[in-house]
Amino acid sequence: MDAALAPLLVSVLCLLPAASAARAFFVFGDSLVDNGNNNYLLTTARADAPPYGIDFPTHRATGRFSNGLNIPDIISEHLGAEPAPPYLSPELRGAKLLVGANFASAGVGILNDTGIQFVNIIRIGDQLQYFREYQRKLRALIGEEQAAQLVSQALVLITLGGNDFVNNYYLVPMSVRSRQYALPDYVRFLVSEYRKILSRLYELGARKVVVTGTGPIGCVPAELAMRSQNGECVAELMRAVNLFNPQLVDMVRGLNRAIGADVFVTANTMRMNFDYINDPQRFGFTNVQVACCGQGPYNGIGLCTPASNVCANRDVFAFWDAFHPTERANRIIVGQFMHGDTDYMHPMNLSTILAMDREGL
């Protein structure tokens, strides 16, 4: 062995017990879970300027579409780990690989043509390819057997679907996809394509995967500003959600049956969000329609920029910008990930998964 490499190898091996205590975490999907990959791309789908990050620990924009922490960050807190770094970050090397990686990219969907207006984003097929690349780096670092164990014991989160509606099917009147498919047929197509993505994740070694449904996209400030007559959630978009989510759950259950194990867990993010939209006072929100940061009706027009209106108290707003929750809303959502009953997490929540793992079940 090269004498110069010996200290590095020793330091990595010393970190392995600590890394196994806090499992690795891998994240795939769109802007709800992107923590900075798009910062490294020439794209308009970015959150790398103030006031994004105003409540982040550094008070700086990081590429997260939030005033502070996003859903993966808060899950990492529960895992007792630091956030999984963006895959494109130059800091993701050496011992940092043991934490996991975030492959998500704002703007992407289940379909490759979703988000084409953003030009340069990491489509889901490329995210999976990066996962393969990551595993090659991991094997070079800790060896094949330990790398396979780290991946199989890791927690995986995947969030897709919303953009396939708001940034594809309903993006413009008479969109290509809406001319090609009636909505029920489009939903069936999306679910069949999503099954291929999840099957590929399983082939790549993922064994504990949380699959989120689509949230109430008809209720986000952007859609209220563009389509709502009286502030009510947009019926056509809610129809899409109500078609998509049950079929997603059925597909995931079928996939688990085919595998013979509960590899995939579904998260009912529609209900998690709708709880506080329907009963804001119960959750301490005073506003569940207007975005904290933006402009125009409901602060739902355009991007959140330094020139936007910004609310003084983010904790009483459910939405940070035209599409994305505040950190406080994200914490409510992750609370259900961790502790929700089977109406929220099926067949089990994350606390149950972690407890079973500790007991070796």
Side-chain angles (χ1 to χ4, degrees):
M1 180 187 293
D2 189 323
L5 292 178
L8 174 63
L9 182 59
V10 169
S11 65
V12 168
L13 292 175
C14 286
L15 282 168
L16 280 173
S20 62
R23 73 184 60 230
F25 185 28
F26 302 109
V27 181
F28 301 85
D30 56 27
S31 59
L32 290 167
V33 293
D34 182 359
N35 70 344
N37 279 309
N38 280 21
N39 288 0
Y40 301 95
L41 304 173
L42 290 172
T43 178
T44 56
R46 298 166 74 102
D48 59 343
Y52 285 101
I54 189 171
D55 298 310
F56 195 73
T58 61
H59 305 292
R60 293 183 178 179
T62 61
R64 292 163 171 84
F65 287 76
S66 173
N67 59 301
L69 303 183
N70 65 9
I71 286 170
D73 295 324
I74 299 163
I75 291 175
S76 290
E77 286 183 352
H78 285 278
L79 295 178
E82 62 182 281
Y87 184 70
L88 297 185
S89 168
E91 295 180 9
L92 184 62
R93 53 190 170 84
K96 280 277 189 186
L97 291 167
L98 304 177
V99 176
N102 186 315
F103 303 91
S105 178
V108 305
I110 296 165
L111 305 181
N112 277 336
D113 58 305
T114 292
I116 56 172
Q117 68 272 32
F118 302 123
V119 187
N120 192 17
I121 52 180
I122 313 171
R123 289 177 169 75
I124 190 61
D126 296 322
Q127 293 183 31
L128 295 174
Q129 189 61 33
Y130 279 147
F131 189 34
R132 286 189 63 191
E133 188 178 278
Y134 161 89
Q135 291 188 49
R136 285 197 295 271
K137 295 176 183 177
L138 188 65
R139 287 194 294 271
L141 183 72
I142 61 174
E144 190 159 342
E145 185 176 339
Q146 285 186 302
Q149 184 179 11
L150 182 145
V151 171
S152 68
Q153 293 179 351
L155 181 67
V156 179
L157 173 68
I158 184 165
T159 296
L160 291 169
N163 283 325
D164 294 286
F165 296 109
V166 299
N167 280 315
N168 192 329
Y169 195 85
Y170 293 110
L171 180 64
V172 293
M174 298 300 291
S175 67
V176 172
R177 287 299 190 184
S178 66
R179 294 198 308 271
Q180 184 181 12
Y181 292 103
L183 180 61
D185 297 326
Y186 182 65
V187 167
R188 281 191 289 272
F189 175 52
L190 287 180
V191 171
S192 68
E193 292 299 300
Y194 208 167
R195 192 183 197 280
K196 297 174 187 175
I197 293 164
L198 297 181
S199 297
R200 184 69 182 127
L201 259 181
Y202 180 77
E203 290 169 5
L204 289 169
R207 293 296 181 268
K208 295 176 176 67
V209 184
V210 176
V211 184
T212 70
T214 297
I217 53 177
C219 306
V220 301
E223 299 302 331
L224 296 183
M226 289 187 292
R227 306 173 196 270
S228 179
Q229 300 299 313
N230 53 12
E232 292 185 356
C233 299
V234 181
E236 177 62 13
L237 284 163
M238 297 309 290
R239 175 176 168 241
V241 173
N242 289 327
L243 284 170
F244 177 80
N245 284 338
Q247 291 185 45
L248 175 67
V249 170
D250 287 345
M251 178 270 284
V252 167
R253 289 177 180 175
L255 198 52
N256 281 339
R257 284 195 299 271
I259 292 168
D262 289 327
V263 169
F264 298 99
V265 173
T266 54
N268 187 348
T269 46
M270 170 67 181
R271 179 158 180 179
M272 295 173 189
N273 283 267
F274 226 57
D275 280 352
Y276 59 72
I277 288 173
N278 276 337
D279 190 0
Q281 289 184 330
R282 177 183 158 207
F283 294 89
F285 290 124
T286 61
N287 205 312
V288 295
Q289 293 180 312
V290 178
C292 172
C293 180
Q295 48 278 318
Y298 305 98
N299 274 345
I301 302 297
L303 300 172
C304 172
T305 72
S308 299
N309 306 311
V310 181
C311 65
N313 183 359
R314 274 74 68 183
D315 282 348
V316 297
F317 278 69
F319 288 99
W320 161 244
D321 65 12
F323 287 100
H324 304 97
T326 55
E327 177 180 326
R328 184 148 182 283
N330 283 331
R331 288 192 176 278
I332 293 168
I333 292 165
V334 174
Q336 294 291 8
F337 275 43
M338 296 304 302
H339 306 293
D341 62 25
T342 52
D343 288 337
Y344 294 89
M345 300 290 293
H346 190 277
M348 67 192 81
N349 60 38
L350 289 188
S351 292
T352 301
I353 291 172
L354 298 178
M356 289 173 65
D357 286 352
R358 283 193 299 271
E359 294 167 12
L361 299 176

